[in-house]
């Protein structure tokens, strides 16, 4: 997934761009006008990033998301206007995502309803910083003081609770809220309600099948992660039923005594999936350390934002 930074300081945008180029090889900066800049990495070589224009609005997308029509910009027809994002628009989008929407003199940063992907922000007097890379936002905003409670939560739970982070002056966007930015303020605004659909077991299964049948529309290979955990095995089993071009991947993990790497071939063989083992040793130590530091402190996982 691409990383991004929104700031009103061009020198900080350039610093983030160079740092991400050093790590990933690809990054660029966009002038959002009204004094704001968006720097982002290019996650894929063939499809650099998700970008759409609506009259006087710009929309950038991050994550893995799709509609009933499929993936990519072409899947968002005129009936799904991202520049006017609300709960009705969200009901037509599946997956996990972050949208950066520039309307007039205002910027909106929106996550999916659950808030699977983290958005962090800091405001130093007149300076604004918003990013999904916690380490980057700490560095460019010079907010390096640690939060005692945040560090304790991270050590005990492998994540922080609610809007707290390991840094004292950096917050995380709360689930169900969007972040609104203009020249005078940065604030959280409630976007989603807490309505929960009441489904029968058959309706629940039908919804899961429908979801995976839409993923099957992706024009390319789909990879599923395999580990010793029940969640990955469940997802792999569901995907196996609906997705023909499915492959499995697993990571070498020296901290689990090899249980993931030994379990993955068993599951892959049962489901008749080709398995690719990612060899972490082939990456240079500097790059590896940067990736671990940048992503691990953020923990882009469900529980890291949903605990309120």
């Amino acid at each position: 997934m691409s990383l991004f930074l929104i700031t009103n300081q061009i020198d900080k945008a350039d610093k983030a761009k160079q740092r991400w180029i050093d790590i990933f090889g690809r990054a660029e900066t966009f002038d959002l006008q009204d004094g704001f800049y968006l720097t982002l990495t290019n996650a894929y070589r063939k499809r650099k990033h998700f970008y759409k224009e609506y009259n006087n609005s710009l929309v950038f997308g991050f994550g893995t998301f799709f509609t009933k029509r499929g993936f990519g910009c072409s899947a968002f027809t005129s009936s799904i206007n991202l520049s006017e994002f609300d709960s009705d628009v969200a009901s037509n989008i599946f997956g996990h995502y972050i949208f950066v929407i520039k309307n007039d003199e205002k910027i909106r940063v929106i996550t999916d309803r659950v808030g699977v992907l983290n958005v962090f922000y800091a405001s130093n007097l007149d300076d604004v910083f918003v990013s999904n890379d916690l380490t980057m936002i700490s560095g460019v905003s010079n907010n390096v003081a640690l939060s005692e409670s945040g560090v304790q939560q991270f050590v005990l739970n492998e994540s922080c609770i609610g809007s707290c982070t390991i840094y004292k002056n950096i917050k995380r966007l709360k689930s169900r809220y969007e972040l609104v930015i203009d020249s005078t303020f940065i604030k959280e605004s409630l976007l989603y309600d807490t309505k929960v659909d009441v489904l029968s077991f058959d309706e629940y299964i039908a919804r899961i099948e429908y979801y995976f049948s839409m993923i099957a529309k992706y024009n390319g290979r789909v990879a599923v992660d395999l580990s010793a955990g029940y969640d990955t095995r469940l997802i792999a089993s569901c995907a196996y039923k609906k997705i023909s071009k499915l492959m499995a991947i697993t990571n070498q993990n020296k901290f689990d005594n090899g249980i993931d790497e030994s379990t993955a071939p068993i599951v892959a063989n049962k489901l008749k999936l080709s398995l690719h083992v990612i060899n972490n040793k082939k990456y240079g130590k500097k790059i590896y350390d940067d990736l671990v530091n940048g992503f691990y402190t953020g923990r882009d996982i469900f529980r890291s934002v949903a605990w309120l």
Side-chain angles (χ1 to χ4, degrees):
M1 188 189 77
S2 296
L3 300 176
F4 74 88
L5 171 73
I6 301 171
T7 180
N8 56 352
Q9 303 297 314
I10 184 60
D11 59 324
K12 303 298 185 182
D14 289 340
K15 182 178 180 180
K17 175 182 175 180
Q18 187 56 55
R19 180 59 172 161
W20 281 334
I21 288 176
D22 292 341
I23 298 175
F24 304 109
R26 303 180 300 278
E28 55 189 312
T29 298
F30 294 85
D31 186 349
L32 299 180
Q33 305 300 318
D34 301 311
F36 287 97
Y37 305 89
L38 170 66
T39 299
L40 53 81
T41 64
N42 298 326
Y44 306 102
R45 295 183 185 276
K46 293 184 178 180
R47 178 178 61 81
K48 295 169 61 177
H49 51 260
F50 180 95
Y51 171 78
K52 285 187 74 68
E53 293 187 18
Y54 299 86
N55 295 325
N56 296 322
S57 300
L58 305 178
V59 179
F60 295 84
F62 307 88
T64 302
F65 50 90
F66 49 94
T67 71
K68 295 177 181 178
R69 294 175 57 88
F71 292 75
C73 295
S74 60
F76 288 81
T77 61
S78 58
S79 62
I80 306 177
N81 189 339
L82 292 172
S83 69
E84 299 178 357
F85 195 101
D86 57 17
S87 294
D88 290 335
V89 172
S91 65
N92 292 296
I93 305 174
F94 304 88
H96 54 273
Y97 51 79
I98 300 170
F99 288 119
V100 175
I101 304 171
K102 176 64 168 62
N103 285 326
D104 299 322
E105 298 179 354
K106 180 173 63 177
I107 300 173
R108 301 172 67 195
V109 182
I110 295 171
T111 69
D112 57 86
R113 186 182 298 273
V114 176
V116 175
L117 302 179
N118 288 317
V119 172
F120 307 101
Y121 66 96
S123 180
N124 302 342
L125 297 177
D126 295 329
D127 300 342
V128 172
F129 304 92
V130 181
S131 180
N132 57 347
D133 184 335
L134 181 58
T135 305
M136 178 60 75
I137 197 173
S138 169
V140 296
S141 68
N142 198 32
N143 281 302
V144 296
L146 295 176
S147 162
E148 182 177 353
S149 61
V151 171
Q152 290 175 344
Q153 291 168 17
F154 190 85
V155 170
L156 294 174
N157 306 313
E158 295 186 351
S159 59
C160 299
I161 299 173
S163 60
C164 178
T165 72
I166 63 173
Y167 297 106
K168 184 181 298 184
N169 297 314
I170 301 177
K171 295 182 179 180
R172 178 174 45 206
L173 179 63
K174 295 194 293 291
S175 177
R176 300 184 295 113
Y177 282 75
E178 66 173 307
L179 199 62
V180 182
I181 312 162
D182 73 4
S183 59
T184 60
F185 65 81
I186 175 171
K187 68 176 183 180
E188 295 187 11
S189 179
L190 183 65
L191 176 62
Y192 299 107
D193 59 38
T194 55
K195 178 183 177 182
V196 177
D197 294 335
V198 179
L199 304 175
S200 67
F201 180 78
D202 289 341
E203 290 172 330
Y204 183 65
I205 296 301
R207 182 169 294 189
I208 292 175
E209 291 181 341
Y210 178 64
Y211 188 90
F212 279 95
S213 68
M214 287 190 291
I215 297 177
K217 295 179 181 180
Y218 181 69
N219 185 26
R221 295 294 299 272
V222 178
V224 61
D225 183 38
L226 287 182
S227 69
Y230 173 75
D231 53 350
T232 58
R233 288 181 282 137
L234 175 62
I235 294 297
S237 299
C238 293
Y240 164 75
K241 294 288 186 179
K242 291 292 181 181
I243 303 173
S244 58
K245 296 179 291 185
L246 185 67
M247 64 176 292
I249 60 173
T250 193
N251 289 279
Q252 294 176 329
N253 185 354
K254 65 181 180 181
F255 300 109
D256 67 357
N257 296 314
I259 186 64
D260 286 347
E261 196 173 351
S262 61
T263 302
I266 299 173
V267 179
N269 183 63
K270 183 71 174 179
L271 298 178
K272 297 181 175 58
L273 300 176
S274 61
L275 176 66
H276 176 69
V277 179
I278 298 176
N279 183 356
N280 295 326
K281 293 182 180 180
K282 74 177 183 179
Y283 298 104
K285 185 177 187 304
K286 177 180 182 300
I287 301 290
Y288 180 78
D289 288 345
D290 284 336
L291 290 174
V292 170
N293 186 48
F295 289 101
Y296 188 68
T297 54
R299 293 293 297 203
D300 270 328
I301 52 175
F302 170 82
R303 67 176 178 270
S304 67
V305 72
W307 287 354
L308 302 178

